[in-house]
Amino acid sequence: MRRSGRAGWVRFRSRVAVSRRSTSVRVIDEERWLDAARAGDADAFNHLVERYQSLAYSVACRTLADPEAAADATQEAFFSAFRAIAGFRGGSFQAWLLRIVVNACYDARRYANRRPATSMDRVIEEMGEAPWPDQHAVNPETAVLSQETLATLEGALAELPDEQRLAIVLVDIEGLTYEEAADVMGRPVGTVRSRLARGRARVRDILVATGNLS
Amino acid sequence: MQSDHVGTEALSALLDGHLSDRERETVEAHLAGCPACRIDLEQLRRTVSLLQAMPAAAPARSFAVREAVPPARVGLVHRMARPPLLRALAGAAAALMVVVLLADAAWPRGDVTTGIGLSSPAMLTARESSASTPTVNPAAASAPPPDARAGDSGAPALEPAIQPREAAPGEETPESVATPIELIGAVEAPPSLAPPSLRVGQVGAVFLGILAAILITASLRAGRRAGRRA
């Protein structure tokens, strides 16, 4: 409902918009690739990788708040997915894949917690800015988001319990519907709704406390 | 917040159009007369707007998989160095360690059978044996075969069959052992055919194990560095 009233938002979420516009073609392609990938065809699987890697990496980035670790986790997730593709029994490939990505992120975080991690601050320090320059150019709304606010949001996300953060990442940041997010999280839609609400409220409290929201 | 105010979940769902018509009517009716809840809703709306404005991260590389993803990529081997020199060395050391351990374990010790089969010559030289190897229990060495199985006396009991020919009573091979056939062979053939000392095998295995561990660690470290660069 809100998306239809916001042209900029729809343009920004072009990936999602495309998925809605030519759904039938995408589904036919996807099923063809899935069938071939199940038979071990890496090229067919790589078509799927190409289609979903931005989404997968973005989710990983927001889950781990560390671009390098997110890239590693994403790669690991695609390896895992390719190995397990024969066991994929239909349904939403996006949800199946994102579940693998999220699990790879949690595994990576468990592993990283036992050793010093690359903090987001250091990455930004090294690069001079948040490492998504092309997106800054694409999305006019991002210009409104100051570095300080972005850092506060990232810090707030990092503080959230996993499920609340995942709900926000999937619905607010990646633009999935409640139903799609529920499919990824393996939870009822009502649970997504409440996790999302609690996460948003917590982020709001942090934004207010840090003077980013009056 | 009073109990009749609108809860956060309803406000959040309202923003996404995820309230039923009846819920929405109730919430909107309340909002119309409640400035506090309107402020709540507005703050939540702006929070969501800021979250939506967070830039989507663009991957810096492709995550395409290669033709055959080896199943082992998940585990230890995957995290090891891509240039496989260290990995190969570590593997070789580990394999060698296993070989040494297996050979060591498979090399038959002086067991009950050999003890019985060769008890006579063993008993004949039992006194020499106890003299040259202080660890031997004199009672066990001179006892009948069934007692020879107690403790490690089975092996020392056999030694004399070789030791006299080796003419090295002071040599430190108290645990040296052999099969009946080899022992017989050793009796007739040059003493060089005697099996290697157990101690050499164990020390070698431990050494190789440490070497393998060091190499694996180094390889993992190199693999992590390579992974970061990639």
Side-chain angles (χ1 to χ4, degrees):
Chain A
M1 125 194 156
R2 298 178 64 250
R3 273 169 211 146
S4 58
R6 294 176 54 189
W9 163 244
V10 171
R11 212 168 37 244
F12 174 47
R13 307 289 165 198
S14 57
R15 187 174 53 242
V16 179
V18 166
S19 78
R20 307 258 148 85
R21 248 195 329 263
S22 51
T23 301
S24 58
V25 174
R26 283 174 63 90
V27 167
I28 291 166
D29 276 351
E30 193 160 303
E31 287 185 350
R32 206 155 39 84
W33 292 334
L34 276 170
D35 284 341
R38 275 197 200 96
D41 183 344
D43 287 340
F45 183 78
N46 282 338
H47 281 297
L48 296 166
V49 172
E50 206 178 307
R51 174 169 289 178
Y52 287 101
Q53 63 182 0
S54 291
L55 174 62
Y57 175 68
S58 189
V59 168
C61 249
R62 288 301 170 216
T63 301
L64 288 173
D66 177 344
E68 284 180 59
D72 288 346
T74 306
Q75 185 67 81
E76 199 55 52
F78 277 118
F79 283 148
S80 302
F82 187 46
R83 278 194 300 271
I85 190 81
F88 172 63
R89 299 265 170 265
S92 164
F93 176 74
Q94 173 180 276
W96 182 78
L97 178 68
L98 286 183
R99 267 201 300 276
I100 295 175
V101 169
V102 171
N103 283 329
C105 288
Y106 293 162
D107 283 349
R109 194 181 51 196
R110 268 195 294 276
Y111 183 73
N113 279 346
R114 281 181 261 131
R115 49 195 69 237
T118 314
S119 80
M120 196 64 187
D121 292 342
R122 211 168 73 217
V123 172
I124 292 173
E125 219 170 77
E126 282 166 8
M127 298 185 65
E129 58 175 324
W132 302 287
D134 53 340
Q135 289 292 339
H136 281 264
V138 168
N139 177 23
E141 275 186 79
T142 314
V144 179
L145 208 59
S146 70
Q147 284 300 321
E148 193 210 330
T149 307
L150 182 60
T152 306
L153 285 170
E154 280 166 351
L157 282 180
E159 269 187 39
L160 294 178
D162 281 345
E163 287 213 327
Q164 291 179 22
R165 176 178 47 248
L166 186 55
I168 287 181
V169 168
L170 294 177
V171 174
D172 287 338
I173 300 182
E174 301 304 333
L176 268 61
T177 64
Y178 279 29
E179 289 76 14
E180 287 169 331
D183 210 356
V184 175
M185 295 169 70
R187 297 280 194 183
V189 172
T191 306
V192 173
R193 196 177 93 151
S194 72
R195 298 280 191 274
L196 187 62
R198 264 190 254 171
R200 284 169 169 177
R202 177 81 187 114
V203 172
R204 175 201 59 197
D205 292 347
I206 291 170
L207 287 172
V208 170
T210 54
N212 284 282
L213 200 70
S214 52
Chain B
M1 188 182 275
Q2 290 161 31
S3 58
D4 60 342
H5 281 311
V6 179
T8 305
E9 185 171 340
L11 292 178
S12 170
L14 178 69
L15 290 173
D16 297 317
H18 265 271
L19 286 181
S20 69
D21 287 348
R22 238 188 79 224
E23 281 176 309
R24 192 168 50 81
E25 276 166 27
T26 313
V27 168
E28 281 174 350
H30 176 86
L31 284 170
C34 180
C37 281
R38 279 205 302 276
I39 290 172
D40 262 9
L41 179 66
E42 177 58 14
Q43 282 189 334
L44 211 55
R45 193 197 63 76
R46 284 165 62 197
T47 300
V48 172
S49 176
L50 288 173
L51 284 167
Q52 288 173 340
M54 286 182 85
R61 58 177 160 108
S62 168
F63 298 109
V65 300
R66 280 183 300 280
E67 192 56 54
V69 180
R73 288 194 75 92
V74 258
L76 195 65
V77 174
H78 172 46
R79 299 203 301 270
M80 287 165 77
R82 228 52 52 97
L85 177 65
L86 276 173
R87 195 197 294 184
L89 282 173
L96 213 60
M97 179 188 75
V98 170
V99 166
V100 168
L101 277 176
L102 282 179
D104 195 57
W107 209 285
R109 312 261 146 84
D111 53 18
V112 179
T113 336
T114 59
I116 292 166
L118 293 156
S119 58
S120 302
M123 282 172 75
L124 281 175
T125 52
R127 211 158 286 160
E128 285 176 49
S129 165
S130 56
S132 62
T133 56
T135 53
V136 171
N137 177 358
S142 56
D147 287 343
R149 71 166 70 198
D152 57 354
S153 56
L158 293 174
E159 261 177 69
I162 304 170
Q163 275 190 341
R165 279 179 163 258
E166 283 179 340
E171 200 176 299
E172 196 187 307
T173 55
E175 288 163 270
S176 174
V177 289
T179 62
I181 292 166
E182 275 160 341
L183 192 56
I184 291 160
V187 169
E188 288 159 0
S192 60
L193 284 183
S197 156
L198 182 65
R199 191 161 297 166
V200 170
Q202 284 173 337
V203 168
V206 167
F207 173 76
L208 286 167
I210 293 169
L211 186 68
I214 290 170
L215 285 168
I216 287 171
T217 310
S219 187
L220 282 174
R221 217 169 271 158
R224 261 204 307 284
R225 276 199 303 274
R228 276 198 208 111
R229 276 196 304 275

